[in-house]
Amino acid sequence: MKISAFWVVVVAIFVGGLVLTEVVDNEYYFTALYVILQATIMAIAWNILGGFTGYVNFGSAAFFAVGAYTSIALNKSLGLPLPLLIAAAAIVCGLIGLGVGYLTLRLKGVYFAIATLAMAIVFETLITNWAYVGGARGAYILTPETFLWFKSYIQMVFIVMLMLALTAVAISRMLNSSRIGRGLAAIRDDEVAAECAGVPTLRLKLISTTVMGALMGVAGAPYPFFVTFVDPVSAFNLFIAVNAIAMPMIGGTAHWLGPVIGALLVGTTQEIITVNVSSELNILLVGIMLVLFITLAPQGIVGLWLKYWRRRKK
Amino acid sequence: MASRLVASHVEAGYGSVRVLHDVSVNVNAGETVVLLGSNGNGKSTLIKCITGIVQPTSGEIYLERDGARIDLVGKSPQEVVDLGIALVPEGRRLFPKLTVEENLLLGAFRMGARSKIDSNLAFVFEAFPPLRERRNQLAGNMSGGEQQMVAVARALMSDPEILLVDEPSVGLAPILVSRMIAKIKELKDQRHLTVLMAEQNFNQAIKIADRGYIIVHGQIEFEGGSAADLRDNDMIKQYYLGL
């Protein structure tokens, strides 16, 4: 019953997206929605390791950027189409997630967070010095031709992103409610106890970093085709990482819906403020929201709702 | 499948602090063996060595199963659990923010237990009726006695052959201690378990013991071939009860 309700909503949202491309002509809306969907995927990805597993990391931007640069490199060298580039970015970033996870997961808490930050800097340095993808100067991408029935290029990229975001939601939900998700929650609660109870902690943590990396890469792969110019400074921007952390925190990290709600709420507010007030203010806004939620509702919106629900049931 | 658990000449410690000196303990299939000693004498460290949480610096720990020998030293806790050895940890170590049912299901992670989840869950709910009522409650919100039930039930969910119980009396009222100890005996008989229990509550522990060891300052000071041996021993009064 619940399963079918979920898939009905997923299909309804996708159809809604298609309808939108038919009815709305103003391209700004698709640009804004693309940005929000990209943030949603990243929030979901971050939450798999940071929320479900409890390993807070600051390296998200690195995976996002590596996804984007995988796209650039393979597009330049082999001329692969976007769907293949997305798949390639997922594989490359998933493998990097696996490798980095293997190297860093023995660290705990703050040390792990610092290691991931260092990793982001290593990747930024590597890309900055790789001339083939533009190095520090950045890379220009020629947008491919609009195909199928889409009226404009941006609408097409929006639909691609919508599909990816829905897939990410489905993966996160599946993981959250499965045996693996239960194991990850046990690691978050008490890793030593999890190990003693027979939970294969290392394997689960590696699954977690791999899926996190792959989804981050997927979020980054279409990015060059969206902005058409990518340079290391913008792709590795710390603000991307901060957003990916703030959104799940605000939405609630323990439940798969948390990062989705957080990303939609924060992403939409940011867009509105950027357009109507100023783009500088939206960074301030994220900061304020984050502080408010951490002090007043550390379990996020989903946590608040669950608390209210439990109380009402009693 | 009958297994005998053997620890032989085990030395272990934390950093430069030596805790266990030449400790040899064995548990035959179907026995309840107690490891007695007051705080800080190495009971938990020995249990941790068996489960792979602490690696001994020397000595051997192995299972004799159907004539074959399976070394436990060097194995991770998860691999030890895979072999059918379950631990009820000291202080319970539940997952406080997960529900009782989630805690129980986490005990059934190992391959050998997955197919028996339904029957094992029914069994532990039968054995500990309060857990059935509270299955959707967060484990952290339960009383100490109930939490100890969850800890034992979680261990049983892994469908073990050997049950290691580390200080089941910690933090419990005397009446609950005596019930919990009796429950362990009952579960042992129902599930044909082999039990190694570390405990400092001497009088309670020997009620269910077939045999026992007394560990003082990391050394086995006395090996009692029966519960009576342990009860009527001068050394116990001297070392252990402080009389």
Side-chain angles (χ1 to χ4, degrees), chain A residues 9 11 29 82 94 100 113 132 138 170 175 183 204 226 263 275 277 285 296 298 305:
Chain A
V9 172
V11 172
Y29 290 109
L82 190 54
V100 169
Y132 184 70
L175 210 58
L204 290 182
F226 172 66
V275 173
V277 191
L285 175 92
L296 299 176
W305 190 77

Side-chain angles (χ1 to χ4, degrees), chain B residues 174-242:
Chain B
I175 176 78
L176 292 177
V177 173
S178 120
R179 269 190 220 153
M180 182 47 72
I181 300 268
K183 195 75 200 180
I184 289 168
K185 162 81 172 153
E186 186 189 319
L187 293 169
K188 182 223 156 196
D189 292 340
Q190 284 175 328
R191 304 292 298 244
H192 311 292
L193 299 170
T194 301
V195 176
L196 175 62
M197 179 169 79
E199 181 53 69
Q200 46 177 314
N201 190 326
F202 177 84
N203 291 319
Q204 293 293 344
I206 58 169
K207 278 199 221 163
I208 66 164
D210 294 322
R211 289 194 298 121
Y213 297 87
I214 291 170
I215 185 165
V216 180
H217 300 317
Q219 282 171 309
I220 301 288
E221 287 290 344
F222 180 74
E223 184 177 344
S226 69
D229 263 8
L230 291 164
R231 203 177 295 120
D232 309 325
N233 190 280
D234 286 338
M235 187 191 268
I236 291 167
K237 290 176 185 156
Q238 188 193 336
Y239 276 111
Y240 183 76
L241 300 173

Side-chain angles (χ1 to χ4, degrees), chain B residues 153-165:
Chain B
R154 181 179 65 187
L156 290 177
M157 287 298 292
S158 76
D159 208 49
E161 188 188 347
I162 298 176
L163 188 65
L164 306 175
V165 189

Side-chain angles (χ1 to χ4, degrees), chain A residues 93-179:
Chain A
C93 292
L95 287 176
I96 292 176
L98 182 69
V100 169
Y102 193 77
L103 291 175
T104 57
L105 279 172
R106 270 162 294 180
L107 304 170
K108 301 253 149 78
V110 172
Y111 302 101
F112 175 77
I114 291 170
T116 57
L117 197 58
M119 177 212 74
I121 293 165
V122 168
F123 277 108
E124 181 170 359
T125 311
L126 282 176
I127 300 280
T128 309
N129 289 290
W130 189 16
Y132 184 70
V133 291
R137 276 178 296 113
Y140 287 94
I141 303 294
L142 295 175
T143 58
E145 276 178 45
T146 308
F147 57 93
L148 294 177
W149 62 88
F150 295 105
K151 282 183 272 183
S152 74
Y153 175 71
I154 188 72
Q155 286 187 357
M156 186 179 78
V157 195
F158 158 71
I159 287 294
V160 167
M161 214 53 178
L162 183 61
M163 285 196 290
L164 295 177
L166 291 172
T167 311
V169 172
I171 290 173
S172 164
R173 176 177 174 274
M174 204 171 69
L175 210 58
N176 194 199
S177 48
S178 69
R179 193 184 64 244

Side-chain angles (χ1 to χ4, degrees), chain A residues 179-180 182-204 299 310, chain B residues 53 76-78 81-82 87 89 93-99 102 105-110 114 117 138 154 158:
Chain A
R179 193 184 64 244
I180 292 175
R182 207 157 46 230
L184 297 178
I187 294 172
R188 179 183 62 211
D189 244 16
D190 187 338
E191 190 164 340
V192 176
E195 187 123 338
C196 295
V199 176
T201 51
L202 181 64
R203 202 187 317 152
L204 290 182
Q299 314 294 324
R310 281 201 185 111
Chain B
I53 303 167
S76 70
Q78 172 219 332
V81 175
D82 275 343
L87 169 68
R93 299 298 286 260
L94 299 182
F95 306 109
K97 287 176 189 153
L98 302 183
T99 65
E102 284 170 327
L105 290 174
L106 278 162
F109 226 98
R110 80 170 180 116
R114 284 183 198 169
I117 284 181
L138 296 186
R154 181 179 65 187
S158 76

